[in-house]
Amino acid sequence: MSKITVIGSFVMDNVAKMVKFPQAGETILGESLELFPGGKGINQCVSVARLGGDVEMVGMLGKDANGEVFRKIMKEDGIKADNVFSCDKPTAVAQVQINAEGQNRICVIPSANFVFGFDELDKVDSVIKETELVILQLELRLDVTKEIIRRAHGYGVKVLLNPAPAVKLEKEILGMVDYITPNETELSILTDMPTDTDEEVIAAAKELLSYGTKTVVATIGSRGALIATQDNVEIISGYKVKAVDTVAAGDSFNGALAVALTEGKTLKEAVQFANAMGALTVTEKGAIPSLHTRVQVEEFIGRISDQKIKES
Ligand code: RIB
């Protein structure tokens, strides 16, 4: 059994580049349209694999050309895929818009991802039982995802939930989550609290802790990430890079966090590592093509700390 199991989505991204996003009712001329493999689940899984983690992917693909693209990626990245099922619905697709600042707007059509149901969940029950950490997002059916959280928690398996795309979740479910990684918007939706300032982010993170969530790692854009546990609240600074395309930065952050935590790094060290992985991801276009390897991330961290020593 693999140390880390990702149960999540596959999405083929149709990525349109433009200078600025169109307004409602406005037509604009864009710069390019490209296809990139993505989806939060597989993005996080490939990140784990490229960072040297022992990982299995669980999910649902269509029996189509896009499905084959993902099967090839998993093979090339050494990802266990025995429990990636196939169905008659097409592999999920998304419309992704990227503006000149690298910001993104995404609309996912779930298709095959929503065919993953309780029958498939029963088939992977022993996988969940025997793994160390389950990584989840909210791109599969919500009722199925909640049941995965209940089962993993019941088996004493750690749960890392990336609550994206965000929906309001019951306190009971949030209380079974070991690590939750919302961005500011997602944190606001989960808690019904404002998250416009660091103070507000801290208050909302503490609200999640009060439900029983063990650790909150809130990503706060280029400022880095805020970690909150019952014992400590701290902001871990991010890395400044030029953003080309921010798609999958949150996913690679989650993958790196999972790898570092399962290697026994402290929470702070794990978040520093995840910040570096996330920063590198925004420097290249596409989701899976922008996910870096362990060697590249360590070289980046080394280069930045050398620069800091020279500047001091
Ligand atoms: O987090 C980025 C991902 O979200 C994209 O690859 C897109 O497919 C959506 O799932």
Side-chain angles (χ1 to χ4, degrees):
M1 286 298 157
S2 302
K3 237 181 174 185
I4 299 174
T5 302
V6 179
I7 309 180
S9 57
F10 295 90
V11 181
M12 188 55 76
D13 295 338
N14 291 262
V15 183
K17 272 253 10 145
M18 58 205 67
V19 175
K20 65 174 188 62
F21 298 127
Q23 304 287 316
E26 186 189 12
T27 300
I28 59 157
L29 298 180
E31 292 171 2
S32 61
L33 183 68
E34 288 179 272
L35 270 189
F36 293 110
K40 295 183 194 303
I42 189 65
N43 291 346
Q44 296 180 15
C45 185
V46 171
S47 301
V48 172
R50 292 191 183 164
L51 294 172
D54 170 28
V55 66
E56 167 158 6
M57 180 71 193
V58 174
M60 183 68 79
L61 287 166
K63 294 174 194 150
D64 48 19
N66 285 342
E68 286 312 310
V69 170
F70 285 109
R71 290 201 183 274
K72 187 161 176 272
I73 289 167
M74 290 186 285
K75 199 166 175 208
E76 286 171 358
D77 277 291
I79 293 165
K80 195 163 181 277
D82 300 349
N83 293 299
V84 174
F85 304 96
S86 295
C87 69
D88 291 330
K89 287 244 179 176
T91 301
V93 291
Q95 278 194 337
V96 180
Q97 297 180 340
I98 308 284
N99 71 6
E101 280 80 50
Q103 294 166 325
N104 66 69
R105 288 183 180 178
I106 304 177
C107 172
V108 178
I109 311 299
S111 307
N113 289 328
F114 271 19
V115 179
F116 187 94
F118 289 99
D119 288 349
E120 288 74 23
L121 180 53
D122 286 342
K123 287 184 190 148
V124 298
D125 194 64
S126 61
V127 174
I128 298 173
K129 213 178 263 176
E130 288 168 37
T131 198
E132 217 173 276
L133 176 76
V134 174
I135 307 182
L136 299 167
Q137 316 75 31
L138 299 176
E139 283 188 335
L140 297 187
R141 275 171 46 186
L142 197 53
D143 54 350
V144 176
T145 303
K146 287 181 191 173
E147 179 59 16
I148 300 169
I149 294 173
R150 284 193 198 96
R151 289 193 193 186
H153 180 72
Y155 299 147
V157 169
K158 291 213 164 15
V159 175
L160 188 163
L161 174 65
N162 175 224
V167 289
K168 188 111 181 71
L169 291 168
E170 295 87 349
K171 291 181 187 174
E172 175 232 347
I173 293 291
L174 291 166
M176 296 179 192
V177 171
D178 296 277
Y179 302 97
I180 196 160
T181 56
N183 63 22
E184 290 140 302
T185 313
E186 291 152 3
L187 182 58
S188 176
I189 292 171
L190 289 171
T191 58
D192 272 332
M193 293 169 72
T195 53
D196 298 322
T197 64
D198 286 349
E199 290 67 33
E200 288 173 347
V201 172
I202 291 170
K206 286 186 174 167
E207 176 73 9
L208 285 182
L209 296 178
S210 78
Y211 305 160
T213 309
K214 305 258 178 341
T215 303
V216 180
V217 180
T219 51
I220 49 175
S222 58
R223 301 196 315 287
L226 177 126
I227 53 181
T229 62
Q230 292 296 349
D231 307 324
N232 184 35
V233 175
E234 192 174 350
I235 290 178
I236 313 295
S237 305
Y239 294 88
K240 284 205 172 61
V241 287
K242 181 165 170 16
V244 171
D245 172 345
T246 51
V247 175
D251 298 330
S252 70
F253 178 95
N254 277 274
L257 183 68
V259 169
L261 289 170
T262 52
E263 284 176 357
K265 290 200 167 49
T266 64
L267 180 62
K268 188 172 172 175
E269 288 165 346
V271 172
Q272 282 165 338
F273 182 65
N275 275 342
M277 178 70 165
L280 273 180
T281 304
V282 309
T283 63
E284 281 177 43
K285 59 183 187 173
I288 290 180
S290 70
L291 303 173
H292 288 68
T293 62
R294 182 81 177 222
V295 172
Q296 291 170 316
V297 177
E298 283 173 356
E299 191 268 335
F300 172 73
I301 293 171
R303 195 158 18 100
I304 300 289
S305 50
D306 284 352
Q307 263 172 27
K308 278 194 185 144
I309 293 167
K310 276 189 200 139
E311 283 163 16
S312 63

